[in-house]
Amino acid sequence: MTCCECLRCCGRRDPRPRTVWLGHPEKRDQRYPRNVINNQKYNFFTFLPGVLFNQFKYFFNLYFLLLACSQFVVEMRLGALYTTHKPCPAAALMHRYLSFAGTVKVKSSNIQVGDLIIVEKNQRVPADMIFLRTSEKNGSCFLRTDQLDGETDWKLRLPVTCTQRLPTASDLLQIRSYVYAEEPNIDIHNFVGTFTREDSDPPVNESLSIENTLWASTVIASGTVVGVVLYTGRELRSVMNTSNPRSKIGLFDLEVNCLTKILFGALVVVSLVMVALQHFAGRWYLQIIRFLLLFSNIIPISLRVNLDMGKIVYSWVIRRDSKIPGTVVRSSTIPEQLGRISYLLTDKTGTLTQNEMVFKRLHLGTVAYGLDSMDEVQSHIFSIYTQQSQDPPAVKGLTLATKVRKTMSSRVHEAVKAIALCHNVTPVYESNGVTDQAEAERHYEDSCRVYQASSPDEVALVQWTESVGLTLVGRDQSSMQLRTPGGHILNFTILQIFPFTYESKRMGIIVRDESTGEITFYMKGADVVMAGIVQYNDWLEEECGNMAREGLRVLVVAKKSLTEEQYQDFEARYVQAKLSVHDRSLKVATVIESLEMEMELLCLTGVEDQLQTDVRPTLETLRNAGIKVWMLTGDKLETATCTAKNAHLVTRTQDIHIFRLVTNRGEAHLELNAFRRKHDCALVISGDSLEVCLKYYEYEFMELACQCPAVVCCRCAPTQKAQIVRLLQERTGKLTCAVGDGGNDVSMIQEADCGVGVEGKEGKQASLAADFSITQFKHLGRLLMVHGRNSYKRSAALSQFVIHRSLCISTMQAVFSSVFYFASVPLYQGFLIIGYSTIYTMFPVFSLVLDKDVKSEVAMLYPELYKDLLKGRPLSYKTFLIWVLISIYQGSIIMYGALLLFESEFVHIVAISFTSLILTELLMVALTIQTWHWLMIVAELLSLSCYIASLVFLHEFIDVYFIATLSFLWKVTVITLVSCLPLYVLKYLRRRFSPPSYSKLTS
C-alpha cells in the first residue's frame, strides 16, 4: 500500500474544494476531520523516549550515564506511565444547532461539516462557518478577532442575503441549498465561495467572500447568528496558522556541551599518554579504562547541577524584582538567552500600543484645532445650528452658494458633518440596568450607546464628532441619523458605500439629506491617493507631512455634491459593472473613479494610537544595546508605518522604503533592486509581498532586510511571523526574541529562541505559551539589560570556575601518577574527593550567581554594555583556554610544592596538597568576585570553618598532629601564595592598563 493510500484510509487526503449542503452533514462528498484540537505534547508511547532523548542528547549527560553504567548496574522497575491530556477548551463547550427535531445542544467536538450552528453574543465560534442569519435589525454582526489576527478592532460581517430574508431560522432546513467552498488554507483574510438555492425560481446564486465568514476562535460581538459549518478540526484556519512548539535549548547550554566534548577529548588523550608511557604493557586496554575513571573529574558532574541551580536562582531574582512587577518565568532553562538577543520581533497592537485611539488634530488649511482648542470647534457647531433654527433659509442659501466665501463656522461644520457621516460605525444600545434596550434605542439614550466598527480609528472620529456636538445616534444598512446640539435629528439615506480596501486606501459614501434632498459624495483616505482626487491646493502635502512626523494617523476628508441626474447615471453604470462576470472588480473601480475627480478638500484629521507607557525610551535602549527591532503585525500598512514613526522604531533621520505590492517573480526582482540602491533606511513590507519575495528570492531578501536598522511587516499571518523568526535564526545564526500579547503571536513566541508574552487585553494565551511573561512592554528593557546580562555573565563565570575546580584536582592527579611510575592510584580517596566538590567549595563557587559587575541602574543607563555580550566573550574558547592554563598552573604548583616540601610520610603530601587546594579555591573565588554580597562572605567563612572542623574526623586520610605544627602552616602558606599571588598581580595590571568597559563606569 502506498503512502497516499494510507493517508486516504486515515482520512488525511489532499485538501479539495467542497460542496456543503445546509443542515445535511450526511450528504458530504468526502471525509472531514473531527472538530477536535489535540494540544498534547506527549502520549503514552512517546513520553519515555521523548524525555530520555531530550536529556541524553547532551553529551554531558550521556557521558555520565555511561560512566555510571561502567561501574554498576541498578535494577529499575518502571511503574505505570501517565501523561496529562489537556484537550482544547473548545471541545468541552456546548453549542446549539438546528435539526429537524428542533434546536439541540451539541458538544463542539461533535460538530460536523454541514451542521447549522447557533452562536450567541460573546460566544466563541466553534468551527469555520458561513454566516447565514443574524438577529440584529441592521442585518449584520460584528466579530472580535483578537485571538486570530491580533487586531482588537471589530470586523463587520454580512449574512447571505437569501437566507437572511427567510422568516425564521428553522426555514433554513426547508430550503434546498448548498455552499461551494474553496479548499482549506491558511489565509485568514480571504475566502472564495458561492451560495446556491436550487428550489427557487429562478435558482439563486450568490458569491461569498471574507465578509460572509465566521472563522473559529473569533467571538460574536453583537446579536445571535446562525452559520453552516465549512471546516472542522485540523482544517480550521486558526489551527492551520499554529505550529507545534519545540523544546528550546539555550545557546549557552550548547556551548557548555561543546566544551564538555573538548574536555572528554582531553580525558582520552591524558589516559592514552599515561598508558603509552607504560609502553602499553600488560592488559593496557584495562589500564586505559582505569585512567578514564581516575581522571573522570576532568569533566565535572557538578557542572550541570550548579548551572541548573543557578537558573533557578536567576528565575527567582526576576520574579522578585519590584521594578518589573508581575513578571513570571515559565521556562527556567534559558535565562542566559536574555543576555544575548540580537533581533527583537514584536507585535504592534496591544504590545507597543494600547489600541486606544485619541483624536488629536483637525486641520482646515488656514487653521488647525488641537486638543486644547476643541471648545472652539464646539462653539462653531453650536452657532451654525442655533442660526439654522432661527433662520433656515439663510443657512440653506449659505451652504449651497459655494462660490461665496464661506465663514469659518460653516467650514468647520462641513468638516465635522463629513467626519460624522463618512464611516462604517454602527451605534448599538444596551441595557444599563435602569433603561432597557428597546427604550434606550427609541430615545437614543447616551448612557446606553456604544459604537461598533471594524476600525478603532473610525470609532475615535465618531466619538470626537459627538464631543463637539454632532452625534451619530442611529444607523442601519440604508439610513443614518445624526443629532444636533439642540437635540434635532438629521436623517440621511445611505445610497452607496465604498468600503476601505488595502489597494484603494480610501472609503466613500453617498448619502441623501432627507430634509433638503441634497445628494453628497463623501470620501476619506490616505494622503497619497487623495492628493490626486481633490482640487488643487498648496497645503495638503506639507501639513500631512507635519502631522505624520508627530506620529498621527492622517486622513484626508473631501466631498462632492451630486445632482439627481448625476447620481442616477452613476448608479446605472455601477449596477451594470457589479453584474459583469469578467473583470468585475476592475470595472467597478473604474465606475467609482469617474466620481472621484475635483472633489472639494474639507479637512485633515489626526488620530493617535496611544503607545504603551515608556515604549519610546525602551526601544531606544534596545537600539543602543545593539538589538535590531522588527515589528510584525496583522494591521494595515499605513497604521503600522504610523506606529513605527510614533514609537520612534524608525528615527527621524531615517528614510522609509515602502516595498510596493508585488505578485510575481519579475515584480519582486525589480523592487528588490530598487531597495538595494537605498542605504540605512527602514523597510516596510506587506505579508503578500513578503511571501512572494521569500518564494523566489529568500536569500537576497533576508540579506537586505538584516542590514536595515528596522523592519516593519504588516498584514502578517501567524505562520508568517513564525517563518520570519525561523529565517532570521537560519540566515544570521543570531539569537531572536519574540514579544506578543495575542493568540496570533503564539507561533512566533514558540519559534523564537526566547519568547516573551505580554499580559494585556487580548487574554493570557501568549503569556502562557511564552518563556517569560511581563505585564508591560517597558519591562522588557530591564529584563534584557539587567537580568539577561547578569544571568549570562554569572553562568559563564560559574561554569568556567566549576571546570577550573575539577581541572585543578585532575592536574594534581596526573602529576601524582606520573611521579609514582604512572600508577592508576587515586591521590585522594573517600570523603576527601566527595567533600572537595561539596561542602568545602560548593557554597563559595555557587555564590558567583550573586555576583554583578555593575549596578542595575548603570546597566540600564548604559545599554552599550549589553552590546559587548553579543560577541559571546564571557564564555569563549579563549576564556576557556585561559582557565585551563590557570588550572594546570595551580594544580602543578600545589602538587609539586607538596612533593618538594613533604618530609617523610605520604599522608603529609595529602594534608599539604589538599589544604592548599581548598585555600586556593577559596582565594580564586574571591579573585573572581566583582561585587561582594554578604552571602558570599558567609559562604567563604562557612566553607573554611567546615574544612577546619572536619579535620578532626579525617584522621584516616590526614595526620591530625601534623596539621597543628608550624611546619605545616608555612608550607601551605607558601604553596598557596605561589599558586594565587601571580594571578592577583595579573588581574591588577589588567585593570590598570586595559580595563574592561564596565570597570570604567564603576570607577
Side-chain angles (χ1 to χ4, degrees):
M1 186 181 282
T2 65
C3 292
C4 293
E5 288 170 339
C6 287
L7 286 173
R8 276 195 285 273
C9 289
C10 300
R12 285 177 180 262
R13 57 180 68 189
D14 292 335
R16 292 181 296 156
R18 60 191 59 185
T19 300
V20 179
W21 290 85
L22 268 62
H24 294 279
E26 70 280 357
K27 288 188 177 181
R28 57 190 177 190
D29 57 355
Q30 54 182 297
R31 292 184 64 184
Y32 304 118
R34 289 185 65 223
N35 196 37
V36 174
I37 304 167
N38 188 357
N39 58 6
Q40 189 179 8
K41 188 173 182 180
Y42 298 113
N43 60 33
F44 182 86
F45 300 103
T46 61
F47 174 71
L48 188 61
V51 170
L52 289 176
F53 173 75
N54 283 331
Q55 288 299 318
F56 293 113
K57 65 185 173 186
Y58 288 116
F59 175 80
F60 190 90
N61 292 347
L62 185 63
Y63 166 74
F64 282 108
L65 175 69
L66 297 174
L67 187 68
C69 292
S70 69
Q71 299 174 79
F72 56 87
V73 176
V74 177
E75 291 185 1
M76 300 178 66
R77 176 176 295 171
L78 288 175
L81 281 176
Y82 298 96
T83 57
T84 302
H85 176 211
K86 183 183 177 185
C88 179
L93 293 176
M94 301 294 290
H95 284 273
R96 292 190 297 145
Y97 89 102
L98 288 173
S99 70
F100 289 100
T103 303
V104 182
K105 285 196 172 183
V106 62
K107 280 187 177 180
S108 295
S109 55
N110 294 331
I111 288 174
Q112 300 179 48
V113 172
D115 281 345
L116 296 173
I117 304 297
I118 302 171
V119 188
E120 308 281 350
K121 181 180 178 180
N122 292 326
Q123 267 192 332
R124 200 168 288 279
V125 179
D128 288 353
M129 305 195 298
I130 288 297
F131 184 15
L132 300 177
R133 285 182 63 82
T134 176
S135 62
E136 291 288 279
K137 291 180 181 178
N138 58 14
S140 63
C141 87
F142 281 95
L143 278 183
R144 294 202 297 268
T145 61
D146 48 9
Q147 294 301 323
L148 184 67
D149 59 12
E151 297 184 51
T152 53
D153 46 336
W154 294 357
K155 307 294 188 299
L156 182 70
R157 291 292 182 262
L158 302 173
V160 176
T161 309
C162 172
T163 52
Q164 178 65 22
R165 288 174 180 164
L166 295 174
T168 63
S170 57
D171 291 329
L172 290 168
L173 295 166
Q174 309 304 323
I175 63 173
R176 182 176 171 80
S177 57
Y178 63 86
V179 172
Y180 180 78
E182 64 182 351
E183 70 277 1
N185 59 68
I186 66 171
D187 191 349
I188 59 176
H189 298 297
N190 293 293
F191 174 76
V192 176
T194 58
F195 175 87
T196 303
R197 181 178 177 182
E198 293 185 335
D199 59 352
S200 63
D201 188 21
V204 175
N205 284 293
E206 284 189 45
S207 63
L208 302 176
S209 67
I210 188 68
E211 289 185 334
N212 307 112
T213 60
L214 305 171
W215 295 146
S217 296
T218 59
V219 177
I220 303 298
S222 62
T224 300
V225 304
V226 181
V228 59
V229 176
L230 283 188
Y231 309 115
T232 53
R234 64 176 178 273
E235 293 180 345
L236 297 174
R237 290 292 208 272
S238 55
V239 173
M240 296 178 81
N241 273 287
T242 57
S243 54
N244 294 323
R246 63 186 179 93
S247 297
K248 295 184 182 179
I249 305 167
L251 178 60
F252 179 82
D253 292 321
L254 294 175
E255 290 172 343
V256 169
N257 197 47
C258 185
L259 295 181
T260 305
K261 294 176 184 177
I262 295 172
L263 290 173
F264 177 74
L267 168 64
V268 172
V269 169
V270 171
S271 302
L272 286 173
V273 168
M274 287 295 178
V275 175
L277 291 172
Q278 291 179 339
H279 307 292
F280 295 98
R283 300 169 71 181
W284 57 270
Y285 48 88
L286 290 178
Q287 284 294 320
I288 289 177
I289 295 174
R290 283 183 62 85
F291 275 116
L292 284 172
L293 296 175
L294 190 64
F295 293 121
S296 62
N297 278 326
I298 286 178
I299 305 175
I301 194 170
S302 59
L303 177 58
R304 187 77 262 155
V305 176
N306 276 278
L307 288 177
D308 287 345
M309 288 172 60
K311 293 172 192 288
I312 293 171
V313 172
Y314 308 148
S315 301
W316 182 82
V317 170
I318 291 171
R319 286 196 299 268
R320 291 293 298 268
D321 191 342
S322 60
K323 294 188 177 178
I324 48 173
T327 302
V328 179
V329 181
R330 302 194 189 277
S331 176
S332 60
T333 58
I334 54 171
E336 297 91 356
Q337 300 278 79
L338 293 170
R340 307 174 68 179
I341 301 299
S342 295
Y343 287 92
L344 179 78
L345 301 103
T346 176
D347 179 40
K348 179 190 76 70
T349 309
T351 304
L352 295 179
T353 69
Q354 300 176 28
N355 208 41
E356 292 179 3
M357 306 297 170
V358 178
F359 189 94
K360 285 290 187 76
R361 188 77 50 82
L362 177 71
H363 206 298
L364 301 178
T366 55
V367 64
Y369 298 98
L371 283 178
D372 53 348
S373 54
M374 289 303 172
D375 53 338
E376 293 181 36
V377 177
Q378 194 172 6
S379 64
H380 283 307
I381 298 297
F382 186 79
S383 67
I384 280 287
Y385 284 105
T386 305
Q387 183 182 357
Q388 185 176 6
S389 62
Q390 294 172 354
D391 190 10
V395 174
K396 184 175 179 181
L398 178 69
T399 55
L400 291 176
T402 51
K403 294 181 181 180
V404 180
R405 187 177 180 276
K406 295 184 177 181
T407 65
M408 183 54 67
S409 291
S410 64
R411 287 180 61 197
V412 170
H413 168 243
E414 283 296 336
V416 173
K417 188 167 80 168
I419 296 167
L421 289 171
C422 188
H423 54 71
N424 267 315
V425 181
T426 304
V428 176
Y429 293 87
E430 298 175 345
S431 173
N432 61 0
V434 179
T435 311
D436 64 15
Q437 183 179 352
E439 188 180 346
E441 197 167 339
R442 192 164 55 252
H443 296 100
Y444 301 132
E445 196 68 46
D446 288 346
S447 60
C448 303
R449 183 174 54 249
V450 291
Y451 293 116
Q452 293 180 346
S454 58
S455 169
D457 303 54
E458 294 208 309
V459 174
L461 291 171
V462 171
Q463 286 175 337
W464 175 76
T465 63
E466 179 183 359
S467 70
V468 296
L470 205 54
T471 307
L472 174 69
V473 292
R475 179 178 184 151
D476 54 32
Q477 287 188 306
S478 60
S479 66
M480 203 183 310
Q481 292 77 40
L482 300 182
R483 187 174 62 200
T484 67
H488 181 64
I489 301 298
L490 304 177
N491 290 292
F492 295 88
T493 301
I494 300 173
L495 301 176
Q496 298 290 346
I497 293 182
F498 315 116
F500 180 93
T501 64
Y502 175 65
E503 292 78 17
S504 69
K505 297 183 176 62
R506 59 192 182 272
M507 72 88 58
I509 187 169
I510 301 177
V511 296
R512 176 188 278 117
D513 189 335
E514 290 297 310
S515 61
T516 63
E518 292 176 11
I519 299 175
T520 310
F521 174 35
Y522 291 106
M523 176 165 281
K524 67 180 180 186
D527 57 309
V528 287
V529 293
M530 294 295 288
I533 292 173
V534 299
Q535 296 168 350
Y536 173 76
N537 62 85
D538 57 0
W539 59 273
L540 176 63
E541 185 179 352
E542 182 183 353
E543 293 304 331
C544 283
N546 293 338
M547 291 168 71
R549 278 188 286 275
E550 294 179 38
L552 301 178
R553 300 188 189 188
V554 183
L555 284 175
V556 181
V557 183
K559 79 163 191 174
K560 185 175 187 179
S561 296
L562 302 175
T563 64
E564 188 68 36
E565 292 75 20
Q566 285 176 320
Y567 174 70
Q568 293 300 334
D569 173 59
F570 165 79
E571 186 182 34
R573 291 184 289 116
Y574 186 61
V575 170
Q576 189 66 37
K578 286 207 295 184
L579 287 174
S580 60
V581 178
H582 302 292
D583 299 325
R584 179 189 297 176
S585 56
L586 180 64
K587 290 177 180 177
V588 168
T590 305
V591 173
I592 296 173
E593 284 173 9
S594 68
L595 273 188
E596 299 172 344
M597 292 184 296
E598 291 297 306
M599 296 188 72
E600 181 187 347
L601 175 59
L602 296 177
C603 65
L604 307 182
T605 63
V607 176
E608 183 183 45
D609 188 355
Q610 295 282 78
L611 294 173
Q612 295 273 4
T613 311
D614 291 338
V615 161
R616 290 174 185 146
T618 302
L619 288 175
E620 186 178 357
T621 297
L622 296 173
R623 196 160 43 240
N624 292 338
I627 300 173
K628 289 188 175 181
V629 183
W630 289 31
M631 187 170 81
L632 314 180
T633 175
D635 220 330
K636 298 185 285 288
L637 186 141
E638 291 78 15
T639 308
T641 308
C642 269
T643 303
K645 292 176 181 176
N646 196 19
H648 295 176
L649 177 65
V650 179
T651 60
R652 291 175 183 272
T653 56
Q654 284 172 352
D655 291 330
I656 296 179
H657 178 80
I658 297 180
F659 206 93
R660 70 182 180 88
L661 192 65
V662 295
T663 55
N664 54 54
R665 184 171 189 158
E667 291 177 356
H669 180 72
L670 292 172
E671 191 62 21
L672 280 171
N673 284 340
F675 179 44
R676 188 177 279 110
R677 289 191 288 270
K678 297 193 176 182
H679 302 285
D680 193 39
C681 71
L683 172 66
V684 179
I685 186 170
S686 68
D688 295 334
S689 300
L690 179 69
E691 191 173 353
V692 175
C693 290
L694 294 181
K695 183 178 179 180
Y696 298 112
Y697 299 104
E698 181 183 297
Y699 177 80
E700 292 85 350
F701 174 79
M702 291 305 296
E703 183 184 22
L704 290 171
C706 290
Q707 294 170 5
C708 295
V711 177
V712 177
C713 299
C714 56
R715 285 293 175 198
C716 270
T719 46
Q720 271 188 319
K721 293 184 178 184
Q723 183 187 12
I724 292 167
V725 173
R726 190 161 53 250
L727 286 172
L728 271 177
Q729 293 166 341
E730 292 170 358
R731 294 296 178 191
T732 66
K734 303 288 180 64
L735 292 188
T736 58
C737 175
V739 190
D741 70 320
N744 65 314
D745 301 315
V746 169
S747 295
M748 170 178 75
I749 285 171
Q750 291 177 336
E751 188 63 43
D753 297 295
C754 187
V756 179
V758 182
E759 288 187 20
K761 295 178 181 178
E762 296 184 32
K764 289 191 174 184
Q765 199 169 345
S767 168
L768 293 172
D771 305 304
F772 302 89
S773 171
I774 56 178
T775 54
Q776 294 185 58
F777 182 82
K778 67 175 182 179
H779 293 167
L780 190 65
R782 186 172 178 85
L783 190 65
L784 298 182
M785 300 302 114
V786 177
H787 295 290
R789 186 172 181 277
N790 286 343
S791 298
Y792 176 44
K793 295 205 74 169
R794 288 165 175 172
S795 285
L798 179 64
S799 60
Q800 292 176 131
F801 206 93
V802 172
I803 291 171
H804 161 265
R805 183 177 66 183
S806 298
L807 282 177
C808 269
I809 198 168
S810 298
T811 302
M812 292 170 67
Q813 178 66 58
V815 172
F816 175 78
S817 294
S818 61
V819 169
F820 289 93
Y821 309 104
F822 311 107
S824 53
V825 178
L827 171 59
Y828 304 123
Q829 297 183 14
F831 186 76
L832 287 183
I833 196 71
I834 296 170
Y836 172 68
S837 297
T838 54
I839 62 170
Y840 297 151
T841 60
M842 183 182 74
F843 298 117
V845 171
F846 187 68
S847 70
L848 289 172
V849 300
L850 301 172
D851 193 21
K852 56 184 178 184
D853 52 359
V854 294
K855 293 181 179 179
S856 57
E857 293 79 13
V858 176
M860 289 296 294
L861 191 61
Y862 298 98
E864 291 78 9
L865 292 171
Y866 186 90
K867 197 182 294 185
D868 295 341
L869 306 187
L870 300 181
K871 298 173 183 176
R873 287 174 178 167
L875 180 67
S876 61
Y877 290 121
K878 178 183 176 182
T879 57
F880 172 69
L881 181 62
I882 290 171
W883 277 102
V884 168
L885 294 175
I886 290 172
S887 305
I888 294 172
Y889 166 75
Q890 290 185 323
S892 303
I893 290 294
I894 293 169
M895 197 64 241
Y896 279 119
L899 290 169
L900 287 172
L901 298 178
F902 94 104
E903 294 167 357
S904 53
E905 299 182 36
F906 172 74
V907 74
H908 291 175
I909 296 177
V910 174
I912 293 170
S913 62
F914 194 74
T915 306
S916 299
L917 179 61
I918 297 296
L919 291 175
T920 298
E921 286 301 317
L922 297 180
L923 288 171
M924 283 301 293
V925 170
L927 177 67
T928 306
I929 290 171
Q930 289 159 337
T931 305
W932 282 89
H933 189 281
W934 66 270
L935 282 174
M936 294 174 171
I937 300 170
V938 170
E940 291 267 337
L941 296 176
L942 182 64
S943 296
L944 187 59
S945 303
C946 286
Y947 177 63
I948 295 169
S950 66
L951 290 175
V952 180
F953 307 102
L954 298 176
H955 52 80
E956 184 182 346
F957 312 106
I958 294 175
D959 185 350
V960 179
Y961 298 103
F962 173 66
I963 62 175
T965 63
L966 193 62
S967 173
F968 168 78
L969 292 175
W970 76 260
K971 289 174 183 177
V972 167
T973 303
V974 168
I975 292 171
T976 305
L977 284 175
V978 173
S979 69
C980 293
L981 192 60
L983 297 174
Y984 272 83
V985 173
L986 286 172
K987 181 181 179 181
Y988 170 78
L989 292 174
R990 181 171 176 270
R991 287 184 73 97
R992 182 80 173 80
F993 297 106
S994 181
S997 54
Y998 63 82
S999 64
K1000 300 171 185 174
L1001 299 174
T1002 51
S1003 60

